[in-house]
Amino acid sequence: MPITDQPLPVTGGLAKHEYVRGVFTDIAPRYDLLNRILSLNTDRRWRRRAVDQLHWEAAPAGTYLDLCAGTLDLAAELANRAGFTGHVIAADFVPPMLRRGAGKSARVAPAAADVLRLPFPDGTFDGATIGFGVRNLMDLDAGLREAARVLKPGARFVVLEFTTPRWQPFRAMYLTYLRLVLPRVGRIVSKHRTAYDWLPASMRLFPEPAQLGAHLQAAGFGAVEWHTLMGGAVAIHIAVRMPA
Ligand SMILES: C[S@@+](CC[C@H](N)C(=O)[O-])C[C@H]1O[C@@H](n2cnc3c(N)ncnc32)[C@H](O)[C@@H]1O
């Protein structure tokens, strides 16, 4: 992707779609390393907590879907659980990200696919996850509707995403970290000029947890609940696919 001084296309549309695709293509080789550094190695714990909410134990031989799967960390977190005998389809529209996940789990099948047009029939999956993906979709509601479409009625959908802590002074500290530290470290390690400005920029416009809950309901999910981790910096939403 060409380096640009244009404003980041945070508001959605095709410009966002193409920007996101270009950024993740460029940073794929350094993505895992940067996750470990920038989260101080806590990102694995967040993914564990998300998978804990999926209730996969109800159908351990089932077929699950991980959306915006990236380098397969979240898909592998489920697929490598003791007692899990099913499969996880890991969908992402950036093949270099999927390729970085090779070898993380034999039960994960990568699928180069756009979340907004999933190549799966209605009611295919026993459960689904999406980690740090919803914020990157050019059309949030279309993505949530696709997730609902491919899930079986009663199946769980777990959404892991950044949010902004409410409690001061942690909020102020965290916003300073996002504004000053994260983009600099990201720039040095990824060698990409704007990729790590994208995270704080896209977070600014992303719905608060209660609003995201309303989007999930509008897309066909019920029993929506959420809780936060890391002092409110990360949210996990849990939603159940309602019968059509
Ligand atoms: C921040 S990464 C998250 C990766 C992984 N889920 C994790 O937990 O680390 C966001 C991923 O979403 C993917 N993505 C964004 N929009 C997408 C879309 N419309 N369809 C498929 N993948 C998409 C990007 O390619 C990128 O790999």
Side-chain angles (χ1 to χ4, degrees):
M1 198 193 67
I3 288 175
T4 172
D5 287 326
Q6 297 297 310
L8 298 178
V10 282
T11 50
L14 268 181
K16 178 175 179 179
H17 204 66
E18 289 314 311
Y19 176 80
V20 166
R21 198 199 292 266
V23 161
F24 286 103
T25 302
D26 291 348
I27 68 170
R30 294 291 175 100
Y31 178 81
D32 283 352
L33 174 66
L34 271 157
N35 272 352
R36 303 295 107 83
I37 295 173
L38 294 170
S39 75
L40 305 176
N41 207 25
T42 50
D43 60 308
R44 289 191 172 116
R45 187 169 62 87
W46 305 336
R47 292 190 187 82
R48 279 201 295 277
R49 297 285 292 274
V51 169
D52 288 346
Q53 300 296 333
L54 191 60
H55 282 195
W56 61 269
E57 298 88 342
T63 305
Y64 293 81
L65 177 64
D66 183 38
L67 296 169
C68 294
T71 57
L72 311 187
D73 276 357
L74 186 54
E77 174 57 39
L78 168 60
N80 291 334
R81 290 267 163 129
F84 184 82
T85 54
H87 289 94
V88 185
I89 309 293
D92 200 287
F93 69 176
V94 174
M97 287 288 280
L98 293 172
R99 284 199 288 273
R100 300 300 298 186
K104 288 184 182 175
S105 174
R107 292 191 178 277
V108 174
D114 189 335
V115 168
L116 305 181
R117 285 184 303 273
L118 289 170
F120 309 115
D122 297 0
T124 301
F125 296 98
D126 295 289
T129 51
I130 183 165
F132 309 109
V134 280
R135 184 178 30 83
N136 287 301
L137 297 176
M138 78 164 182
D139 184 336
L140 170 66
D141 293 313
L144 298 181
R145 283 195 300 271
E146 268 299 83
R149 181 184 69 73
V150 299
L151 281 171
K152 295 176 182 171
R156 279 193 164 204
F157 183 39
V158 177
V159 180
L160 175 66
E161 190 50 86
F162 291 112
T163 183
T164 309
R166 303 186 78 81
W167 182 70
Q168 294 283 17
F170 184 58
R171 180 183 172 92
M173 276 169 50
Y174 184 71
L175 290 176
T176 304
Y177 168 77
L178 281 186
R179 197 163 46 86
L180 298 180
V181 181
L182 183 139
R184 284 181 192 164
V185 176
R187 209 168 294 142
I188 291 165
V189 180
S190 74
K191 306 201 182 350
H192 192 288
R193 230 172 97 191
T194 61
Y196 285 82
D197 295 311
W198 175 253
L199 174 61
S202 57
M203 278 177 67
R204 267 195 289 280
L205 289 188
F206 195 68
E208 294 279 313
Q211 293 171 296
L212 180 56
H215 283 269
L216 282 159
Q217 273 178 328
F221 293 98
V224 178
E225 54 184 87
W226 63 90
H227 55 260
T228 57
L229 309 174
M230 237 200 51
V234 172
I236 296 179
H237 283 71
I238 304 127
V240 176
R241 170 69 168 109
M242 293 286 111

